Amino acid sequence: MTSETKPLVVETREGLARALAVAPKPRAVVMTMGGLHAAHGGLMTIARDLVGAEGHVTTTIFVNPLQFAATEDLGKYPRTFDADVAMCAQRSVDLVFAPTPDVMYPNGDAAVTVDPGSLGQLYEGVARPTHFRGVLTVVAKFLQLLQPDFAVFGEKDYQQLTLIRQMVADLDIPTQIVGGPIGREESGLAMSTRNKYLSPVAREVAARIPVAIAAGQAGAAGGTQACIDATLEVLHAPAAVSVEVEYVAVTDPLMRPAPESGEARLILTVIVDGTRLLDNAPVQLGPSAESGARSSTGDDGTE
Ligand code: PAF
């Protein structure tokens, strides 16, 4: 499908099986919880590019109760189904699978779930200890139901993406996981469905998160602690609404402990006026290869 045509929308397992029985290959999926925005659209475009005009793209829309704790925002999570389907049409999605919780969990609570391992308890897992168990379980279920060649996930949820990659490797799931770049608003704020919760003032304050990340990237030449300190300095500046830093950390690209120098990832979660916002970016720890090369040749950089 290449021009804008309304995708087929199915809500049941039977409807999905019928649609997939005639769906061409290769196939890609973009899993979402709805509340779609331009960054989701970008992931759908990546999915289309991966499978080509003759391939098949599915978007799932499912607010997965298993990944929300009782105290979290499951009930008020934005639900914008008609607009979501319209976006899928614009991005030449062939099929929208939008099951209800009963369809996904016909036996009620899942008794057997996917254990995210130790990484699931760090960073996001500290405040949300059951979150990744819920995410990995539903992602595994969608991969089983859809059997896609590719599944595209945004890098904004970097820990989620890392854990999904780990899961498909460890469980021998034959789907290629593809990361899509973080979509950003004009201010640089990472796009998120939860940005809808921000008041105009809170949104302005939240826009300092990408500034803090840029400061962290600049500070990374001095090592991990310098990177974190530079990030925190921006985040801790006085603000018109509450800013609570949940964590700022530097890891290696696979979210293991950070190396002394070289490629790493700066990750953070900040609660701005009650809304949890995640962001991350690559950082280069230690002196850059360029400055290292200069100093090793005695170049003082004045030429
Ligand atoms: O990133 C999300 O929107 C969700 O965690 C996902 C991957 C769709 C699973 O519910």
Side-chain angles (χ1 to χ4, degrees), residues 31-33 64 67 135 138-139 153 157 160:
M31 298 180 198
T32 80
M33 298 205 298
N64 174 33
Q67 69 190 72
V135 170
V138 83
V139 169
F153 296 90
D157 298 297
Q160 167 174 287

Side-chain angles (χ1 to χ4, degrees), residues 2-271:
T2 48
S3 60
E4 186 173 324
T5 317
K6 204 166 179 293
L8 178 64
V9 178
V10 298
E11 293 170 4
T12 62
R13 285 166 183 257
E14 297 70 27
L16 179 66
R18 272 196 300 275
L20 291 179
V22 294
K25 286 192 159 225
R27 295 180 192 156
V29 61
V30 177
M31 298 180 198
T32 80
M33 298 205 298
L36 301 188
H37 47 70
H40 290 113
L43 302 182
M44 294 175 206
T45 299
I46 292 173
R48 172 55 64 197
D49 289 346
L50 284 165
V51 298
E54 306 305 325
H56 188 269
V57 176
T58 299
T59 293
T60 64
I61 298 178
F62 179 60
V63 185
N64 174 33
L66 199 58
Q67 69 190 72
F68 289 79
T71 50
E72 293 177 352
D73 58 344
L74 174 64
K76 73 164 186 167
Y77 196 83
R79 285 159 171 90
T80 54
F81 189 72
D82 292 344
D84 293 348
V85 174
M87 171 173 287
C88 291
Q90 279 161 16
R91 301 292 178 140
S92 51
V93 166
D94 300 286
L95 176 65
V96 171
F97 180 43
T100 58
D102 289 354
V103 168
M104 286 307 285
Y105 301 108
N107 302 320
D109 280 349
V112 175
T113 55
V114 179
D115 179 350
S118 55
L119 177 55
Q121 299 310 312
L122 302 175
Y123 313 118
E124 282 302 285
V126 172
R128 310 186 74 191
T130 58
H131 176 64
F132 289 118
R133 178 176 72 92
V135 170
L136 293 188
T137 301
V138 83
V139 169
K141 284 167 76 74
F142 279 130
L143 293 176
Q144 289 293 343
L145 289 166
L146 291 152
Q147 306 274 318
D149 300 286
F150 305 98
V152 186
F153 296 90
E155 285 185 349
K156 191 199 44 94
D157 298 297
Y158 193 76
Q159 191 173 359
Q160 167 174 287
L161 174 62
T162 304
L163 283 166
I164 292 170
R165 287 191 201 282
Q166 190 72 57
M167 175 179 75
V168 300
D170 288 351
L171 301 185
D172 299 307
I173 298 175
T175 296
Q176 189 180 324
I177 304 301
V178 178
I182 300 176
R184 295 192 180 275
E185 298 184 357
E186 225 173 275
S187 67
L189 176 65
M191 288 181 187
S192 163
T193 303
R194 290 191 171 93
N195 290 356
K196 289 196 167 93
Y197 301 153
L198 295 168
S199 68
V201 179
R203 190 174 280 267
E204 253 176 56
V205 172
R208 72 170 56 166
I209 294 173
V211 178
I213 286 197
Q217 284 175 313
T224 295
Q225 198 53 52
C227 173
I228 293 173
D229 290 347
T231 308
L232 286 173
E233 193 177 331
V234 177
L235 293 174
H236 283 154
V241 295
S242 65
V243 177
E244 187 192 325
V245 179
E246 208 168 87
Y247 62 86
V248 173
V250 180
T251 70
D252 88 346
L254 298 176
M255 298 199 77
R256 297 169 304 200
E260 287 286 305
S261 63
E263 252 185 79
R265 201 87 191 178
L266 170 61
I267 56 166
L268 57 81
T269 287
V270 180
I271 304 174

